Amino acid sequence: MTSFWTLFREFFREKSKSAYWLLLINVIAALAATVIMFVSLRNEGQATIDFGNYKTDASMLTAVSMAFAGMMAVFAGLIDFAYLIMTTVTNEKINRSQTWQLIPISNGKMYVGNTLSSLASLVYLGIMQLIISLIFGLIAYFSNSLLRKELSTEFAHTQFNFSDFASPILLIALTTILVTLFWYEIVSFLHFITRTVIDFLPSANKFVLLIIRLVVLVGVVYFLGFLIEMLGDVYGNINYFTADSSTYSWFWEQVTFLLILDLIIGGLNYLMINKFVEAKAN
């Protein structure tokens, strides 16, 4: 009998391959955008950093490092969304693959390992992107003493407290992870429901199949809107520097709601793939 963690590691290893390629594309896109930016500025080795009331001529190292870190963050959103779609498609192929279901493990455990490995690989990609951005951000920070001084002044004016800052960061991380998990689960849920209905209605005509697929499409669009609205509520109403941790009690309720929702949908998927969903020939 194959263990759950062995299967999870295999799923993660396979999905991480595409994550590395997308990370490379992210780096190349950020580098190209940075080069284009500085070629268009034609500032002969100098660039101006504008930070609030603070302006200074920065060395090329500082300017390039800041620009590259910023471009990494900008393209990261597009890259992560592309990877989300890729892993979603991969999940559903694996969930109904006869080849994967030959592995001596229950279909339910295979589904859980498949879904969680996609989530883990997406988080892994995000961590790699963050590390690269932080490295170049730190290069910019330590290569310019005036920038360090001004940042210290800004943090002092905002009465920066790390404990207050950690709370919204943790909140955003948990919300993003739970929303991503919900997306994987709701797509699988709609897929399993569709396949179950079609399998129980083998003589269904094309019109019936069209209606079923339209219902699924409407469901996907609806839940996508729901997720975007929830993320907007969290990302758009957080003050990272001045709010007290107690300010976020409502957001923590949202996180709890998402966790419960994930467990319910995941449980239903576990039941359906074990009892109703049949594998598809490769």
PDB file of all heavy atoms in Angstrom, residues 105-132:
ATOM      1  N   ILE A 105      -3.821   2.954  -3.314  1.00  0.00           N
ATOM      2  CA  ILE A 105      -4.235   3.914  -2.290  1.00  0.00           C
ATOM      3  C   ILE A 105      -5.664   4.322  -2.634  1.00  0.00           C
ATOM      4  O   ILE A 105      -6.072   4.252  -3.790  1.00  0.00           O
ATOM      5  CB  ILE A 105      -3.296   5.149  -2.265  1.00  0.00           C
ATOM      6  CG1 ILE A 105      -3.527   5.986  -1.007  1.00  0.00           C
ATOM      7  CG2 ILE A 105      -3.471   6.004  -3.518  1.00  0.00           C
ATOM      8  CD1 ILE A 105      -2.505   7.104  -0.818  1.00  0.00           C
ATOM      9  N   SER A 106      -6.438   4.697  -1.637  1.00  0.00           N
ATOM     10  CA  SER A 106      -7.836   5.039  -1.896  1.00  0.00           C
ATOM     11  C   SER A 106      -7.932   6.283  -2.779  1.00  0.00           C
ATOM     12  O   SER A 106      -7.049   7.150  -2.746  1.00  0.00           O
ATOM     13  CB  SER A 106      -8.582   5.284  -0.583  1.00  0.00           C
ATOM     14  OG  SER A 106      -8.162   6.490   0.016  1.00  0.00           O
ATOM     15  N   ASN A 107      -9.001   6.338  -3.576  1.00  0.00           N
ATOM     16  CA  ASN A 107      -9.199   7.499  -4.449  1.00  0.00           C
ATOM     17  C   ASN A 107      -9.321   8.782  -3.644  1.00  0.00           C
ATOM     18  O   ASN A 107      -8.907   9.853  -4.098  1.00  0.00           O
ATOM     19  CB  ASN A 107     -10.452   7.305  -5.307  1.00  0.00           C
ATOM     20  CG  ASN A 107     -10.287   6.208  -6.340  1.00  0.00           C
ATOM     21  OD1 ASN A 107      -9.166   5.792  -6.636  1.00  0.00           O
ATOM     22  ND2 ASN A 107     -11.392   5.733  -6.880  1.00  0.00           N
ATOM     23  N   GLY A 108      -9.924   8.689  -2.468  1.00  0.00           N
ATOM     24  CA  GLY A 108     -10.074   9.874  -1.621  1.00  0.00           C
ATOM     25  C   GLY A 108      -8.732  10.433  -1.183  1.00  0.00           C
ATOM     26  O   GLY A 108      -8.490  11.642  -1.240  1.00  0.00           O
ATOM     27  N   LYS A 109      -7.826   9.552  -0.745  1.00  0.00           N
ATOM     28  CA  LYS A 109      -6.500  10.000  -0.330  1.00  0.00           C
ATOM     29  C   LYS A 109      -5.716  10.546  -1.514  1.00  0.00           C
ATOM     30  O   LYS A 109      -4.949  11.504  -1.372  1.00  0.00           O
ATOM     31  CB  LYS A 109      -5.737   8.858   0.337  1.00  0.00           C
ATOM     32  CG  LYS A 109      -6.270   8.489   1.713  1.00  0.00           C
ATOM     33  CD  LYS A 109      -5.432   7.394   2.348  1.00  0.00           C
ATOM     34  CE  LYS A 109      -5.950   7.051   3.735  1.00  0.00           C
ATOM     35  NZ  LYS A 109      -5.143   5.968   4.362  1.00  0.00           N
ATOM     36  N   MET A 110      -5.901   9.913  -2.687  1.00  0.00           N
ATOM     37  CA  MET A 110      -5.232  10.419  -3.881  1.00  0.00           C
ATOM     38  C   MET A 110      -5.718  11.830  -4.200  1.00  0.00           C
ATOM     39  O   MET A 110      -4.917  12.710  -4.552  1.00  0.00           O
ATOM     40  CB  MET A 110      -5.492   9.499  -5.067  1.00  0.00           C
ATOM     41  CG  MET A 110      -4.709   9.888  -6.320  1.00  0.00           C
ATOM     42  SD  MET A 110      -5.276   9.029  -7.795  1.00  0.00           S
ATOM     43  CE  MET A 110      -6.870   9.814  -8.044  1.00  0.00           C
ATOM     44  N   TYR A 111      -7.026  12.069  -4.074  1.00  0.00           N
ATOM     45  CA  TYR A 111      -7.588  13.403  -4.316  1.00  0.00           C
ATOM     46  C   TYR A 111      -6.999  14.431  -3.348  1.00  0.00           C
ATOM     47  O   TYR A 111      -6.599  15.528  -3.759  1.00  0.00           O
ATOM     48  CB  TYR A 111      -9.109  13.368  -4.178  1.00  0.00           C
ATOM     49  CG  TYR A 111      -9.711  14.729  -3.942  1.00  0.00           C
ATOM     50  CD1 TYR A 111      -9.818  15.651  -4.983  1.00  0.00           C
ATOM     51  CD2 TYR A 111     -10.124  15.114  -2.665  1.00  0.00           C
ATOM     52  CE1 TYR A 111     -10.334  16.921  -4.751  1.00  0.00           C
ATOM     53  CE2 TYR A 111     -10.646  16.379  -2.433  1.00  0.00           C
ATOM     54  CZ  TYR A 111     -10.752  17.268  -3.478  1.00  0.00           C
ATOM     55  OH  TYR A 111     -11.254  18.530  -3.249  1.00  0.00           O
ATOM     56  N   VAL A 112      -6.937  14.072  -2.077  1.00  0.00           N
ATOM     57  CA  VAL A 112      -6.391  15.000  -1.066  1.00  0.00           C
ATOM     58  C   VAL A 112      -4.927  15.305  -1.367  1.00  0.00           C
ATOM     59  O   VAL A 112      -4.498  16.474  -1.347  1.00  0.00           O
ATOM     60  CB  VAL A 112      -6.547  14.415   0.353  1.00  0.00           C
ATOM     61  CG1 VAL A 112      -5.837  15.307   1.372  1.00  0.00           C
ATOM     62  CG2 VAL A 112      -8.023  14.283   0.721  1.00  0.00           C
ATOM     63  N   GLY A 113      -4.138  14.271  -1.653  1.00  0.00           N
ATOM     64  CA  GLY A 113      -2.727  14.494  -1.967  1.00  0.00           C
ATOM     65  C   GLY A 113      -2.541  15.318  -3.221  1.00  0.00           C
ATOM     66  O   GLY A 113      -1.659  16.185  -3.285  1.00  0.00           O
ATOM     67  N   ASN A 114      -3.375  15.069  -4.226  1.00  0.00           N
ATOM     68  CA  ASN A 114      -3.319  15.814  -5.481  1.00  0.00           C
ATOM     69  C   ASN A 114      -3.615  17.297  -5.246  1.00  0.00           C
ATOM     70  O   ASN A 114      -2.876  18.177  -5.699  1.00  0.00           O
ATOM     71  CB  ASN A 114      -4.328  15.215  -6.459  1.00  0.00           C
ATOM     72  CG  ASN A 114      -4.332  15.891  -7.814  1.00  0.00           C
ATOM     73  OD1 ASN A 114      -3.344  16.466  -8.238  1.00  0.00           O
ATOM     74  ND2 ASN A 114      -5.457  15.822  -8.492  1.00  0.00           N
ATOM     75  N   THR A 115      -4.685  17.583  -4.519  1.00  0.00           N
ATOM     76  CA  THR A 115      -5.086  18.972  -4.270  1.00  0.00           C
ATOM     77  C   THR A 115      -4.069  19.697  -3.402  1.00  0.00           C
ATOM     78  O   THR A 115      -3.660  20.835  -3.717  1.00  0.00           O
ATOM     79  CB  THR A 115      -6.471  19.015  -3.596  1.00  0.00           C
ATOM     80  OG1 THR A 115      -7.424  18.341  -4.421  1.00  0.00           O
ATOM     81  CG2 THR A 115      -6.920  20.451  -3.383  1.00  0.00           C
ATOM     82  N   LEU A 116      -3.655  19.071  -2.311  1.00  0.00           N
ATOM     83  CA  LEU A 116      -2.722  19.731  -1.399  1.00  0.00           C
ATOM     84  C   LEU A 116      -1.349  19.922  -2.041  1.00  0.00           C
ATOM     85  O   LEU A 116      -0.645  20.903  -1.746  1.00  0.00           O
ATOM     86  CB  LEU A 116      -2.593  18.934  -0.105  1.00  0.00           C
ATOM     87  CG  LEU A 116      -3.835  18.906   0.790  1.00  0.00           C
ATOM     88  CD1 LEU A 116      -3.545  18.135   2.070  1.00  0.00           C
ATOM     89  CD2 LEU A 116      -4.318  20.323   1.118  1.00  0.00           C
ATOM     90  N   SER A 117      -0.948  19.014  -2.924  1.00  0.00           N
ATOM     91  CA  SER A 117       0.349  19.181  -3.596  1.00  0.00           C
ATOM     92  C   SER A 117       0.318  20.374  -4.547  1.00  0.00           C
ATOM     93  O   SER A 117       1.332  21.080  -4.696  1.00  0.00           O
ATOM     94  CB  SER A 117       0.725  17.904  -4.355  1.00  0.00           C
ATOM     95  OG  SER A 117      -0.200  17.642  -5.400  1.00  0.00           O
ATOM     96  N   SER A 118      -0.832  20.607  -5.190  1.00  0.00           N
ATOM     97  CA  SER A 118      -0.956  21.794  -6.046  1.00  0.00           C
ATOM     98  C   SER A 118      -0.868  23.064  -5.214  1.00  0.00           C
ATOM     99  O   SER A 118      -0.195  24.030  -5.596  1.00  0.00           O
ATOM    100  CB  SER A 118      -2.288  21.761  -6.807  1.00  0.00           C
ATOM    101  OG  SER A 118      -2.293  20.745  -7.776  1.00  0.00           O
ATOM    102  N   LEU A 119      -1.555  23.063  -4.073  1.00  0.00           N
ATOM    103  CA  LEU A 119      -1.499  24.214  -3.180  1.00  0.00           C
ATOM    104  C   LEU A 119      -0.070  24.438  -2.682  1.00  0.00           C
ATOM    105  O   LEU A 119       0.423  25.576  -2.675  1.00  0.00           O
ATOM    106  CB  LEU A 119      -2.444  23.997  -2.003  1.00  0.00           C
ATOM    107  CG  LEU A 119      -2.501  25.111  -0.953  1.00  0.00           C
ATOM    108  CD1 LEU A 119      -3.052  26.393  -1.569  1.00  0.00           C
ATOM    109  CD2 LEU A 119      -3.365  24.686   0.235  1.00  0.00           C
ATOM    110  N   ALA A 120       0.588  23.358  -2.286  1.00  0.00           N
ATOM    111  CA  ALA A 120       1.956  23.473  -1.768  1.00  0.00           C
ATOM    112  C   ALA A 120       2.915  23.969  -2.847  1.00  0.00           C
ATOM    113  O   ALA A 120       3.798  24.796  -2.567  1.00  0.00           O
ATOM    114  CB  ALA A 120       2.421  22.119  -1.233  1.00  0.00           C
ATOM    115  N   SER A 121       2.758  23.490  -4.074  1.00  0.00           N
ATOM    116  CA  SER A 121       3.659  23.922  -5.150  1.00  0.00           C
ATOM    117  C   SER A 121       3.422  25.388  -5.506  1.00  0.00           C
ATOM    118  O   SER A 121       4.367  26.117  -5.845  1.00  0.00           O
ATOM    119  CB  SER A 121       3.489  23.041  -6.387  1.00  0.00           C
ATOM    120  OG  SER A 121       2.173  23.121  -6.897  1.00  0.00           O
ATOM    121  N   LEU A 122       2.166  25.847  -5.418  1.00  0.00           N
ATOM    122  CA  LEU A 122       1.876  27.259  -5.675  1.00  0.00           C
ATOM    123  C   LEU A 122       2.468  28.142  -4.577  1.00  0.00           C
ATOM    124  O   LEU A 122       3.047  29.201  -4.853  1.00  0.00           O
ATOM    125  CB  LEU A 122       0.365  27.477  -5.767  1.00  0.00           C
ATOM    126  CG  LEU A 122      -0.106  28.905  -6.082  1.00  0.00           C
ATOM    127  CD1 LEU A 122       0.505  29.421  -7.377  1.00  0.00           C
ATOM    128  CD2 LEU A 122      -1.635  28.953  -6.158  1.00  0.00           C
ATOM    129  N   VAL A 123       2.343  27.710  -3.323  1.00  0.00           N
ATOM    130  CA  VAL A 123       2.961  28.441  -2.211  1.00  0.00           C
ATOM    131  C   VAL A 123       4.478  28.449  -2.367  1.00  0.00           C
ATOM    132  O   VAL A 123       5.143  29.472  -2.133  1.00  0.00           O
ATOM    133  CB  VAL A 123       2.556  27.803  -0.864  1.00  0.00           C
ATOM    134  CG1 VAL A 123       3.356  28.413   0.285  1.00  0.00           C
ATOM    135  CG2 VAL A 123       1.062  27.992  -0.610  1.00  0.00           C
ATOM    136  N   TYR A 124       5.026  27.323  -2.780  1.00  0.00           N
ATOM    137  CA  TYR A 124       6.473  27.209  -3.011  1.00  0.00           C
ATOM    138  C   TYR A 124       6.942  28.195  -4.071  1.00  0.00           C
ATOM    139  O   TYR A 124       7.969  28.871  -3.905  1.00  0.00           O
ATOM    140  CB  TYR A 124       6.783  25.773  -3.420  1.00  0.00           C
ATOM    141  CG  TYR A 124       8.232  25.475  -3.692  1.00  0.00           C
ATOM    142  CD1 TYR A 124       9.221  25.759  -2.760  1.00  0.00           C
ATOM    143  CD2 TYR A 124       8.613  24.868  -4.891  1.00  0.00           C
ATOM    144  CE1 TYR A 124      10.555  25.466  -3.015  1.00  0.00           C
ATOM    145  CE2 TYR A 124       9.940  24.567  -5.151  1.00  0.00           C
ATOM    146  CZ  TYR A 124      10.902  24.868  -4.213  1.00  0.00           C
ATOM    147  OH  TYR A 124      12.229  24.574  -4.469  1.00  0.00           O
ATOM    148  N   LEU A 125       6.175  28.298  -5.155  1.00  0.00           N
ATOM    149  CA  LEU A 125       6.496  29.264  -6.206  1.00  0.00           C
ATOM    150  C   LEU A 125       6.454  30.686  -5.648  1.00  0.00           C
ATOM    151  O   LEU A 125       7.353  31.497  -5.919  1.00  0.00           O
ATOM    152  CB  LEU A 125       5.507  29.129  -7.366  1.00  0.00           C
ATOM    153  CG  LEU A 125       5.611  30.182  -8.487  1.00  0.00           C
ATOM    154  CD1 LEU A 125       6.981  30.137  -9.150  1.00  0.00           C
ATOM    155  CD2 LEU A 125       4.505  29.959  -9.522  1.00  0.00           C
ATOM    156  N   GLY A 126       5.428  30.996  -4.867  1.00  0.00           N
ATOM    157  CA  GLY A 126       5.317  32.328  -4.272  1.00  0.00           C
ATOM    158  C   GLY A 126       6.478  32.644  -3.333  1.00  0.00           C
ATOM    159  O   GLY A 126       6.985  33.776  -3.316  1.00  0.00           O
ATOM    160  N   ILE A 127       6.910  31.656  -2.566  1.00  0.00           N
ATOM    161  CA  ILE A 127       8.036  31.860  -1.647  1.00  0.00           C
ATOM    162  C   ILE A 127       9.324  32.138  -2.429  1.00  0.00           C
ATOM    163  O   ILE A 127      10.110  33.020  -2.061  1.00  0.00           O
ATOM    164  CB  ILE A 127       8.210  30.635  -0.725  1.00  0.00           C
ATOM    165  CG1 ILE A 127       7.039  30.561   0.265  1.00  0.00           C
ATOM    166  CG2 ILE A 127       9.534  30.707   0.033  1.00  0.00           C
ATOM    167  CD1 ILE A 127       7.046  29.299   1.112  1.00  0.00           C
ATOM    168  N   MET A 128       9.540  31.394  -3.508  1.00  0.00           N
ATOM    169  CA  MET A 128      10.742  31.633  -4.329  1.00  0.00           C
ATOM    170  C   MET A 128      10.710  33.035  -4.931  1.00  0.00           C
ATOM    171  O   MET A 128      11.743  33.732  -4.975  1.00  0.00           O
ATOM    172  CB  MET A 128      10.844  30.565  -5.425  1.00  0.00           C
ATOM    173  CG  MET A 128      11.195  29.188  -4.916  1.00  0.00           C
ATOM    174  SD  MET A 128      11.592  28.010  -6.250  1.00  0.00           S
ATOM    175  CE  MET A 128       9.972  27.812  -7.014  1.00  0.00           C
ATOM    176  N   GLN A 129       9.552  33.471  -5.409  1.00  0.00           N
ATOM    177  CA  GLN A 129       9.420  34.820  -5.958  1.00  0.00           C
ATOM    178  C   GLN A 129       9.696  35.867  -4.883  1.00  0.00           C
ATOM    179  O   GLN A 129      10.388  36.869  -5.131  1.00  0.00           O
ATOM    180  CB  GLN A 129       8.020  35.016  -6.533  1.00  0.00           C
ATOM    181  CG  GLN A 129       7.729  34.192  -7.769  1.00  0.00           C
ATOM    182  CD  GLN A 129       6.252  34.169  -8.118  1.00  0.00           C
ATOM    183  OE1 GLN A 129       5.396  34.174  -7.240  1.00  0.00           O
ATOM    184  NE2 GLN A 129       5.951  34.159  -9.412  1.00  0.00           N
ATOM    185  N   LEU A 130       9.164  35.646  -3.695  1.00  0.00           N
ATOM    186  CA  LEU A 130       9.361  36.583  -2.590  1.00  0.00           C
ATOM    187  C   LEU A 130      10.825  36.679  -2.197  1.00  0.00           C
ATOM    188  O   LEU A 130      11.345  37.771  -1.950  1.00  0.00           O
ATOM    189  CB  LEU A 130       8.515  36.142  -1.393  1.00  0.00           C
ATOM    190  CG  LEU A 130       8.621  37.011  -0.123  1.00  0.00           C
ATOM    191  CD1 LEU A 130       8.150  38.430  -0.408  1.00  0.00           C
ATOM    192  CD2 LEU A 130       7.813  36.386   1.010  1.00  0.00           C
ATOM    193  N   ILE A 131      11.498  35.527  -2.135  1.00  0.00           N
ATOM    194  CA  ILE A 131      12.919  35.517  -1.751  1.00  0.00           C
ATOM    195  C   ILE A 131      13.753  36.317  -2.751  1.00  0.00           C
ATOM    196  O   ILE A 131      14.619  37.115  -2.362  1.00  0.00           O
ATOM    197  CB  ILE A 131      13.428  34.069  -1.643  1.00  0.00           C
ATOM    198  CG1 ILE A 131      12.822  33.386  -0.416  1.00  0.00           C
ATOM    199  CG2 ILE A 131      14.957  34.041  -1.561  1.00  0.00           C
ATOM    200  CD1 ILE A 131      13.155  31.913  -0.308  1.00  0.00           C
ATOM    201  N   ILE A 132      13.496  36.116  -4.041  1.00  0.00           N
ATOM    202  CA  ILE A 132      14.245  36.853  -5.063  1.00  0.00           C
ATOM    203  C   ILE A 132      13.999  38.357  -4.938  1.00  0.00           C
ATOM    204  O   ILE A 132      14.937  39.169  -4.991  1.00  0.00           O
ATOM    205  CB  ILE A 132      13.877  36.359  -6.469  1.00  0.00           C
ATOM    206  CG1 ILE A 132      14.358  34.928  -6.665  1.00  0.00           C
ATOM    207  CG2 ILE A 132      14.480  37.264  -7.550  1.00  0.00           C
ATOM    208  CD1 ILE A 132      13.909  34.294  -7.965  1.00  0.00           C
TER     209      ILE A 132
END
